[in-house]
Amino acid sequence: MKGAGLRADLIVVDPPRSGLGGRVVRQLADLKPARLTYVSCDPATLSRDLAGLLEAGYHIGRAHLVDLFPQTFHVESVFQLVR
């Protein structure tokens, strides 16, 4: 990604349960999109990745919880981050 001349106003990520990981979080931060939407099914990896994105200058604009699996403990989180 780095040095590829990519520019984006909005990036949407929906990583697997393992999350984005530190390398991808840094690459996203380097791209500096004005808005970033993060969809997550795992609160632990969401928390880890959000810490890196918040440290990179983003803040949480909105947070939504979506119950796609009624009568289970699974909840999708949708966080809208802005610079």
Side-chain angles (χ1 to χ4, degrees):
M1 281 182 166
K2 192 171 184 175
L6 298 175
R7 291 187 49 101
D9 294 325
L10 168 67
I11 294 177
V12 178
V13 294
D14 185 2
R17 289 192 189 281
S18 59
L20 295 173
R23 190 182 100 205
V24 175
V25 167
R26 286 188 298 276
Q27 289 175 333
L28 288 171
D30 287 346
L31 287 173
K32 298 180 182 173
R35 296 175 298 145
L36 178 65
T37 299
Y38 191 123
V39 181
S40 177
C41 62
D42 186 337
T45 57
L46 169 67
S47 176
R48 180 199 65 209
D49 293 342
L50 277 181
L53 292 165
L54 295 174
E55 187 176 299
Y58 287 92
H59 69 274
I60 299 169
R62 289 186 173 189
H64 304 276
L65 299 178
V66 183
D67 186 4
L68 296 176
F69 308 102
Q71 301 177 10
T72 71
F73 64 90
H74 296 287
V75 177
E76 295 287 315
S77 304
V78 181
F79 277 70
Q80 296 173 334
L81 306 172
V82 292
R83 250 189 200 284

Coordinates of all heavy atoms in Angstrom, one line a residue:
M1 N 0.8 -1.2 0.0 CA 0.0 0.0 0.0 C 0.9 1.3 0.0 O 0.6 2.2 -0.7 CB -0.9 0.0 1.2 CG -2.1 -0.8 1.2 SD -3.0 -0.5 2.7 CE -4.5 -1.2 2.4
K2 N 1.8 1.3 0.9 CA 2.6 2.5 1.0 C 3.4 2.8 -0.3 O 3.9 2.0 -0.9 CB 3.6 2.3 2.2 CG 4.3 3.6 2.6 CD 5.1 3.4 3.8 CE 5.7 4.7 4.3 NZ 6.4 4.6 5.5
G3 N 3.3 4.1 -0.6 CA 4.0 4.5 -1.8 C 3.3 4.2 -3.1 O 3.8 4.5 -4.2
A4 N 2.1 3.7 -3.0 CA 1.4 3.3 -4.2 C 0.6 4.5 -4.8 O -0.1 4.4 -5.8 CB 0.4 2.2 -3.9
G5 N 0.6 5.6 -4.1 CA -0.1 6.8 -4.6 C -1.6 6.7 -4.4 O -2.3 7.4 -5.1
L6 N -2.0 5.9 -3.5 CA -3.5 5.7 -3.3 C -4.0 6.8 -2.4 O -3.3 7.3 -1.5 CB -3.7 4.4 -2.6 CG -3.3 3.1 -3.3 CD1 -3.5 1.9 -2.4 CD2 -4.1 2.9 -4.6
R7 N -5.2 7.3 -2.8 CA -5.9 8.3 -2.0 C -7.3 7.8 -1.8 O -7.9 7.4 -2.8 CB -5.8 9.6 -2.7 CG -4.4 10.2 -2.7 CD -4.4 11.7 -3.2 NE -5.4 12.5 -2.6 CZ -5.2 13.3 -1.6 NH1 -4.0 13.5 -1.1 NH2 -6.2 14.1 -1.1
A8 N -7.9 8.0 -0.7 CA -9.3 7.6 -0.4 C -9.9 8.6 0.6 O -9.2 9.0 1.5 CB -9.3 6.2 0.1
D9 N -11.2 8.9 0.4 CA -11.9 9.7 1.3 C -12.6 8.8 2.4 O -12.7 9.2 3.5 CB -13.0 10.5 0.6 CG -12.5 11.5 -0.3 OD1 -11.4 12.1 0.0 OD2 -13.1 11.7 -1.4
L10 N -12.9 7.6 2.0 CA -13.5 6.6 2.9 C -13.0 5.2 2.6 O -12.9 4.8 1.5 CB -15.1 6.6 2.6 CG -15.8 5.5 3.3 CD1 -15.8 5.6 4.8 CD2 -17.3 5.4 2.8
I11 N -12.7 4.5 3.7 CA -12.3 3.1 3.6 C -13.2 2.3 4.5 O -13.4 2.7 5.7 CB -10.8 2.9 4.0 CG1 -9.9 3.6 3.0 CG2 -10.4 1.4 4.1 CD1 -8.4 3.5 3.3
V12 N -13.7 1.2 4.0 CA -14.5 0.3 4.8 C -13.7 -1.0 5.0 O -13.3 -1.6 4.0 CB -15.9 0.0 4.2 CG1 -16.7 -0.9 5.0 CG2 -16.6 1.3 3.9
V13 N -13.6 -1.4 6.3 CA -12.9 -2.7 6.5 C -13.9 -3.6 7.3 O -14.6 -3.2 8.2 CB -11.6 -2.5 7.3 CG1 -10.6 -1.7 6.5 CG2 -11.8 -1.8 8.6
D14 N -13.8 -4.9 7.0 CA -14.6 -5.9 7.7 C -13.7 -7.1 7.8 O -13.8 -8.1 7.1 CB -15.8 -6.2 6.8 CG -16.8 -7.2 7.5 OD1 -16.5 -7.6 8.7 OD2 -17.8 -7.6 6.9
P15 N -12.7 -7.1 8.7 CA -11.7 -8.1 8.9 C -12.3 -9.4 9.5 O -13.4 -9.4 10.0 CB -10.7 -7.5 9.8 CG -11.5 -6.5 10.7 CD -12.5 -6.0 9.7
P16 N -11.5 -10.5 9.4 CA -12.0 -11.7 10.0 C -11.8 -11.6 11.5 O -11.4 -10.5 12.0 CB -10.9 -12.8 9.5 CG -9.8 -12.0 9.1 CD -10.3 -10.6 8.7
R17 N -12.2 -12.6 12.3 CA -12.2 -12.5 13.7 C -10.8 -12.1 14.3 O -10.7 -11.5 15.4 CB -12.6 -13.8 14.4 CG -14.1 -14.1 14.2 CD -14.5 -15.3 15.0 NE -15.9 -15.7 14.7 CZ -17.0 -15.1 15.1 NH1 -16.8 -14.0 15.9 NH2 -18.1 -15.5 14.8
S18 N -9.8 -12.4 13.6 CA -8.4 -12.1 14.0 C -8.1 -10.6 13.9 O -7.1 -10.1 14.4 CB -7.4 -12.9 13.2 OG -7.5 -12.6 11.8
G19 N -9.0 -9.8 13.3 CA -8.8 -8.4 13.2 C -7.9 -8.0 12.1 O -7.4 -8.8 11.3
L20 N -7.5 -6.7 12.1 CA -6.6 -6.2 11.1 C -5.2 -6.5 11.4 O -4.4 -6.8 10.5 CB -6.8 -4.6 11.0 CG -8.1 -4.1 10.5 CD1 -8.2 -2.6 10.6 CD2 -8.4 -4.6 9.1
G21 N -4.8 -6.3 12.6 CA -3.4 -6.5 13.0 C -2.7 -5.2 12.9 O -3.1 -4.2 12.2
G22 N -1.5 -5.1 13.5 CA -0.8 -3.9 13.6 C -0.3 -3.3 12.3 O -0.3 -2.1 12.0
R23 N 0.2 -4.2 11.4 CA 0.7 -3.8 10.1 C -0.4 -3.1 9.3 O -0.2 -2.0 8.7 CB 1.3 -4.9 9.3 CG 2.1 -4.5 8.1 CD 2.6 -5.7 7.4 NE 1.7 -5.8 6.3 CZ 1.5 -7.0 5.6 NH1 2.1 -8.1 6.0 NH2 0.7 -7.0 4.6
V24 N -1.6 -3.7 9.2 CA -2.6 -3.1 8.4 C -3.1 -1.8 9.0 O -3.4 -0.9 8.3 CB -3.8 -4.2 8.2 CG1 -5.0 -3.5 7.4 CG2 -3.3 -5.4 7.4
V25 N -3.2 -1.8 10.3 CA -3.6 -0.5 11.0 C -2.7 0.6 10.6 O -3.1 1.7 10.3 CB -3.7 -0.7 12.5 CG1 -3.8 0.6 13.2 CG2 -4.9 -1.6 12.9
R26 N -1.4 0.3 10.6 CA -0.4 1.4 10.3 C -0.6 1.8 8.8 O -0.4 2.9 8.5 CB 1.0 0.9 10.6 CG 1.4 0.9 12.0 CD 2.8 0.6 12.3 NE 3.2 -0.8 11.8 CZ 3.0 -1.9 12.5 NH1 2.5 -1.9 13.7 NH2 3.4 -3.0 12.0
Q27 N -0.8 0.8 7.9 CA -1.0 1.1 6.5 C -2.2 2.0 6.3 O -2.2 2.9 5.5 CB -1.0 -0.2 5.7 CG 0.3 -0.9 5.6 CD 0.2 -2.2 4.9 OE1 -0.8 -2.9 4.9 NE2 1.3 -2.6 4.3
L28 N -3.3 1.6 7.0 CA -4.5 2.4 6.8 C -4.2 3.9 7.3 O -4.6 4.8 6.7 CB -5.6 1.8 7.6 CG -6.3 0.6 7.0 CD1 -7.2 -0.1 8.0 CD2 -7.0 0.9 5.7
A29 N -3.6 4.0 8.5 CA -3.2 5.3 9.0 C -2.4 6.1 8.1 O -2.5 7.3 7.9 CB -2.6 5.1 10.4
D30 N -1.4 5.4 7.4 CA -0.6 6.1 6.4 C -1.4 6.6 5.2 O -1.0 7.6 4.6 CB 0.5 5.2 5.9 CG 1.6 4.9 6.9 OD1 1.7 5.6 7.9 OD2 2.4 3.9 6.7
L31 N -2.5 5.9 4.8 CA -3.3 6.4 3.7 C -4.1 7.6 4.1 O -4.5 8.4 3.2 CB -4.3 5.3 3.3 CG -3.6 4.1 2.5 CD1 -4.7 3.0 2.3 CD2 -3.1 4.6 1.2
K32 N -4.3 7.9 5.4 CA -5.0 9.0 5.9 C -6.4 9.3 5.3 O -6.6 10.5 4.9 CB -4.1 10.3 5.8 CG -2.8 10.1 6.6 CD -1.9 11.4 6.4 CE -0.7 11.1 7.2 NZ 0.3 12.2 7.0
P33 N -7.2 8.3 5.2 CA -8.6 8.7 4.7 C -9.3 9.5 5.7 O -9.0 9.4 6.9 CB -9.3 7.3 4.6 CG -8.6 6.5 5.6 CD -7.1 6.9 5.6
A34 N -10.1 10.4 5.3 CA -10.9 11.3 6.2 C -11.8 10.5 7.0 O -12.1 10.8 8.2 CB -11.7 12.3 5.4
R35 N -12.4 9.4 6.5 CA -13.3 8.6 7.2 C -12.9 7.1 7.1 O -12.5 6.7 6.0 CB -14.7 8.8 6.7 CG -15.2 10.2 6.9 CD -16.6 10.4 6.3 NE -16.5 10.3 4.9 CZ -17.5 9.7 4.1 NH1 -18.6 9.3 4.7 NH2 -17.3 9.6 2.8
L36 N -13.2 6.3 8.1 CA -12.9 4.9 8.1 C -14.0 4.2 8.8 O -14.4 4.6 10.0 CB -11.6 4.7 8.8 CG -11.1 3.2 9.0 CD1 -10.8 2.6 7.6 CD2 -9.9 3.2 9.9
T37 N -14.7 3.2 8.2 CA -15.7 2.4 8.8 C -15.2 1.1 9.1 O -14.7 0.4 8.2 CB -17.0 2.4 7.9 OG1 -17.4 3.7 7.7 CG2 -18.1 1.5 8.5
Y38 N -15.3 0.6 10.3 CA -14.8 -0.7 10.8 C -15.9 -1.5 11.2 O -16.7 -1.2 12.2 CB -13.8 -0.4 11.9 CG -13.0 -1.6 12.3 CD1 -11.6 -1.5 12.4 CD2 -13.6 -2.8 12.8 CE1 -10.8 -2.6 12.8 CE2 -12.8 -3.9 13.2 CZ -11.4 -3.8 13.2 OH -10.7 -4.9 13.5
V39 N -16.1 -2.6 10.6 CA -17.2 -3.6 10.9 C -16.5 -4.8 11.6 O -15.5 -5.3 11.1 CB -17.9 -4.1 9.7 CG1 -19.0 -5.1 10.1 CG2 -18.5 -3.0 8.9
S40 N -17.0 -5.1 12.8 CA -16.3 -6.2 13.6 C -17.3 -7.2 14.2 O -18.3 -6.8 14.6 CB -15.5 -5.5 14.7 OG -14.9 -6.5 15.5
C41 N -16.8 -8.4 14.3 CA -17.6 -9.4 15.0 C -16.9 -9.9 16.2 O -17.4 -10.7 16.9 CB -17.8 -10.6 14.0 SG -16.3 -11.4 13.5
D42 N -15.8 -9.3 16.6 CA -15.0 -9.7 17.8 C -14.6 -8.4 18.6 O -13.7 -7.7 18.1 CB -13.8 -10.5 17.4 CG -13.1 -11.1 18.6 OD1 -13.2 -10.5 19.7 OD2 -12.3 -12.1 18.4
P43 N -15.2 -8.2 19.7 CA -14.9 -7.0 20.5 C -13.4 -6.9 20.9 O -12.9 -5.8 21.0 CB -15.8 -7.2 21.8 CG -16.8 -8.1 21.4 CD -16.3 -9.0 20.3
A44 N -12.7 -8.1 21.1 CA -11.3 -8.0 21.6 C -10.4 -7.5 20.5 O -9.6 -6.6 20.7 CB -10.9 -9.4 22.0
T45 N -10.6 -8.0 19.2 CA -9.7 -7.5 18.2 C -10.1 -6.1 17.7 O -9.3 -5.3 17.3 CB -9.7 -8.5 17.0 OG1 -11.0 -8.7 16.5 CG2 -9.1 -9.8 17.4
L46 N -11.4 -5.8 17.8 CA -11.9 -4.4 17.5 C -11.2 -3.4 18.5 O -10.6 -2.4 18.1 CB -13.4 -4.3 17.7 CG -14.0 -2.9 17.7 CD1 -13.8 -2.2 16.3 CD2 -15.4 -2.9 18.1
S47 N -11.2 -3.8 19.8 CA -10.5 -2.9 20.8 C -9.0 -2.7 20.5 O -8.5 -1.6 20.5 CB -10.7 -3.5 22.2 OG -10.0 -2.8 23.1
R48 N -8.4 -3.8 20.1 CA -6.9 -3.7 19.8 C -6.7 -2.8 18.6 O -5.8 -1.9 18.6 CB -6.4 -5.1 19.5 CG -4.9 -5.1 19.2 CD -4.5 -6.4 18.5 NE -5.1 -6.5 17.2 CZ -5.4 -7.6 16.6 NH1 -5.2 -8.8 17.2 NH2 -6.0 -7.6 15.4
D49 N -7.5 -3.0 17.5 CA -7.3 -2.3 16.3 C -7.7 -0.8 16.5 O -7.0 0.1 16.0 CB -8.0 -2.9 15.2 CG -7.5 -4.2 14.7 OD1 -6.3 -4.6 15.1 OD2 -8.2 -5.0 14.0
L50 N -8.8 -0.6 17.3 CA -9.2 0.8 17.5 C -8.1 1.6 18.3 O -7.9 2.8 18.0 CB -10.5 0.8 18.3 CG -11.8 0.7 17.5 CD1 -13.0 0.7 18.4 CD2 -11.9 1.7 16.4
A51 N -7.5 0.9 19.2 CA -6.4 1.6 20.0 C -5.3 2.2 19.0 O -4.9 3.3 19.2 CB -5.8 0.7 21.0
G52 N -4.9 1.4 18.0 CA -4.0 1.9 17.1 C -4.5 3.0 16.2 O -3.8 3.9 15.9
L53 N -5.7 2.9 15.8 CA -6.3 3.9 14.9 C -6.6 5.2 15.7 O -6.3 6.3 15.2 CB -7.6 3.4 14.3 CG -7.4 2.3 13.3 CD1 -8.7 1.6 13.0 CD2 -6.8 2.8 12.0
L54 N -7.0 5.1 16.9 CA -7.1 6.3 17.8 C -5.8 7.0 18.0 O -5.7 8.2 18.0 CB -7.8 6.0 19.1 CG -9.3 5.5 19.0 CD1 -9.8 5.0 20.3 CD2 -10.2 6.5 18.3
E55 N -4.8 6.2 18.2 CA -3.4 6.7 18.4 C -2.9 7.4 17.1 O -2.2 8.4 17.2 CB -2.5 5.6 18.8 CG -1.1 6.1 19.2 CD -0.2 4.9 19.6 OE1 -0.6 4.2 20.6 OE2 0.8 4.6 19.0
A56 N -3.4 7.0 16.0 CA -3.0 7.6 14.7 C -3.8 8.8 14.4 O -3.6 9.4 13.3 CB -3.2 6.5 13.6
G57 N -4.7 9.3 15.3 CA -5.4 10.6 15.0 C -6.8 10.5 14.7 O -7.5 11.5 14.4
Y58 N -7.4 9.3 14.7 CA -8.8 9.1 14.4 C -9.6 9.3 15.7 O -9.0 9.1 16.8 CB -9.1 7.8 13.8 CG -8.7 7.7 12.3 CD1 -7.4 7.3 12.0 CD2 -9.5 8.2 11.3 CE1 -7.0 7.3 10.7 CE2 -9.1 8.2 10.0 CZ -7.8 7.7 9.7 OH -7.4 7.7 8.4
H59 N -10.9 9.6 15.6 CA -11.7 9.5 16.8 C -13.1 8.9 16.4 O -13.4 8.9 15.2 CB -11.9 10.9 17.5 CG -12.7 11.9 16.7 ND1 -12.1 12.7 15.7 CD2 -14.0 12.2 16.6 CE1 -13.0 13.5 15.2 NE2 -14.2 13.2 15.7
I60 N -13.8 8.4 17.3 CA -15.0 7.7 17.0 C -16.1 8.7 16.8 O -16.5 9.5 17.7 CB -15.4 6.7 18.2 CG1 -14.3 5.7 18.4 CG2 -16.7 6.1 17.9 CD1 -14.4 4.9 19.6
G61 N -16.7 8.7 15.6 CA -17.8 9.6 15.2 C -19.1 9.0 15.6 O -20.0 9.6 16.2
R62 N -19.2 7.7 15.3 CA -20.5 7.0 15.6 C -20.1 5.5 15.9 O -19.2 5.0 15.3 CB -21.5 7.0 14.5 CG -22.1 8.4 14.3 CD -23.2 8.3 13.3 NE -23.8 9.6 13.2 CZ -24.9 9.8 12.6 NH1 -25.5 8.8 11.8 NH2 -25.5 11.0 12.6
A63 N -20.9 4.9 16.7 CA -20.8 3.4 17.0 C -22.2 2.8 16.9 O -23.1 3.4 17.5 CB -20.1 3.2 18.3
H64 N -22.3 1.7 16.2 CA -23.6 1.0 16.1 C -23.4 -0.5 16.4 O -22.4 -1.0 16.0 CB -24.1 1.1 14.7 CG -24.3 2.5 14.2 ND1 -25.4 3.3 14.4 CD2 -23.4 3.2 13.4 CE1 -25.2 4.4 13.8 NE2 -24.0 4.4 13.2
L65 N -24.3 -1.0 17.1 CA -24.3 -2.5 17.4 C -25.5 -3.1 16.6 O -26.6 -2.5 16.6 CB -24.5 -2.8 18.9 CG -23.4 -2.3 19.8 CD1 -23.7 -2.6 21.2 CD2 -22.1 -2.8 19.4
V66 N -25.2 -4.1 15.8 CA -26.2 -4.7 15.0 C -26.4 -6.2 15.4 O -25.4 -6.9 15.3 CB -25.8 -4.6 13.5 CG1 -26.9 -5.2 12.6 CG2 -25.5 -3.2 13.1
D67 N -27.6 -6.6 15.7 CA -27.9 -7.9 16.1 C -28.3 -8.7 14.9 O -29.5 -8.8 14.6 CB -29.0 -7.9 17.2 CG -29.2 -9.3 17.8 OD1 -28.5 -10.3 17.4 OD2 -30.1 -9.4 18.6
L68 N -27.4 -9.3 14.2 CA -27.7 -10.1 13.0 C -28.1 -11.6 13.4 O -28.6 -12.3 12.5 CB -26.5 -10.1 12.1 CG -26.1 -8.8 11.5 CD1 -24.8 -9.0 10.6 CD2 -27.2 -8.2 10.6
F69 N -27.8 -12.0 14.6 CA -28.0 -13.3 15.0 C -28.9 -13.4 16.3 O -28.4 -13.6 17.4 CB -26.7 -14.1 15.2 CG -25.8 -13.9 14.1 CD1 -24.7 -13.0 14.1 CD2 -25.9 -14.7 12.9 CE1 -23.9 -12.8 13.0 CE2 -25.1 -14.5 11.9 CZ -24.0 -13.6 11.9
P70 N -30.2 -13.1 16.2 CA -31.1 -13.0 17.3 C -31.0 -14.3 18.2 O -30.7 -15.4 17.7 CB -32.5 -12.9 16.7 CG -32.3 -12.4 15.4 CD -30.9 -13.0 14.9
Q71 N -31.1 -14.1 19.5 CA -31.1 -15.1 20.5 C -29.7 -15.8 20.6 O -29.7 -17.0 21.1 CB -32.2 -16.2 20.2 CG -33.6 -15.5 20.3 CD -34.7 -16.5 19.9 OE1 -34.5 -17.7 19.9 NE2 -35.9 -15.9 19.7
T72 N -28.7 -15.1 20.2 CA -27.3 -15.6 20.5 C -26.6 -14.4 21.1 O -27.1 -13.3 21.1 CB -26.6 -16.0 19.2 OG1 -26.3 -14.8 18.4 CG2 -27.4 -17.0 18.4
F73 N -25.3 -14.6 21.5 CA -24.5 -13.6 22.1 C -23.7 -12.8 21.0 O -23.0 -11.9 21.3 CB -23.6 -14.1 23.1 CG -22.5 -15.1 22.6 CD1 -21.3 -14.6 22.1 CD2 -22.8 -16.4 22.5 CE1 -20.4 -15.5 21.6 CE2 -21.9 -17.3 22.0 CZ -20.7 -16.9 21.6
H74 N -23.9 -13.2 19.7 CA -23.1 -12.5 18.6 C -23.7 -11.2 18.3 O -24.9 -11.1 18.0 CB -23.1 -13.4 17.4 CG -22.3 -14.7 17.6 ND1 -21.0 -14.8 17.7 CD2 -22.8 -16.0 17.8 CE1 -20.6 -16.0 17.9 NE2 -21.7 -16.8 18.0
V75 N -22.9 -10.2 18.2 CA -23.3 -8.8 17.8 C -22.2 -8.2 16.9 O -21.1 -8.3 17.2 CB -23.5 -7.9 19.1 CG1 -23.9 -6.5 18.7 CG2 -24.6 -8.5 20.0
E76 N -22.7 -7.7 15.8 CA -21.7 -7.0 15.0 C -21.6 -5.5 15.4 O -22.6 -4.9 15.8 CB -22.2 -7.0 13.5 CG -22.3 -8.3 12.9 CD -20.9 -8.9 12.5 OE1 -20.1 -8.2 12.0 OE2 -20.7 -10.1 12.8
S77 N -20.4 -5.0 15.4 CA -20.1 -3.6 15.8 C -19.7 -2.9 14.5 O -18.9 -3.4 13.7 CB -19.0 -3.5 16.8 OG -19.3 -4.3 17.9
V78 N -20.3 -1.7 14.3 CA -19.9 -0.8 13.2 C -19.5 0.5 13.8 O -20.3 1.2 14.4 CB -21.1 -0.6 12.2 CG1 -20.6 0.2 11.0 CG2 -21.6 -2.0 11.7
F79 N -18.2 0.8 13.6 CA -17.6 2.1 14.1 C -17.3 3.0 13.0 O -16.6 2.5 12.0 CB -16.4 1.8 15.0 CG -16.7 1.4 16.4 CD1 -17.3 0.2 16.7 CD2 -16.4 2.3 17.4 CE1 -17.6 -0.2 18.0 CE2 -16.7 1.9 18.7 CZ -17.3 0.7 19.0
Q80 N -17.7 4.2 13.0 CA -17.3 5.2 12.0 C -16.3 6.1 12.7 O -16.6 6.8 13.6 CB -18.6 6.0 11.6 CG -19.6 5.1 10.9 CD -20.9 5.8 10.6 OE1 -21.2 6.7 11.2 NE2 -21.6 5.3 9.6
L81 N -15.1 6.1 12.1 CA -14.0 6.9 12.6 C -13.7 8.0 11.7 O -13.8 7.9 10.4 CB -12.7 6.0 12.7 CG -12.9 4.7 13.5 CD1 -11.6 3.9 13.4 CD2 -13.1 5.0 14.9
V82 N -13.4 9.1 12.2 CA -13.1 10.3 11.4 C -11.8 10.9 11.9 O -11.4 10.8 13.1 CB -14.2 11.4 11.5 CG1 -15.5 10.9 10.8 CG2 -14.5 11.8 13.0
R83 N -11.1 11.7 11.0 CA -9.9 12.4 11.3 C -10.2 13.8 11.7 O -11.0 14.4 11.2 CB -9.0 12.4 10.1 CG -7.8 11.6 10.3 CD -6.8 11.8 9.1 NE -5.9 10.7 9.1 CZ -5.0 10.4 9.9 NH1 -4.7 11.3 10.9 NH2 -4.2 9.4 9.8

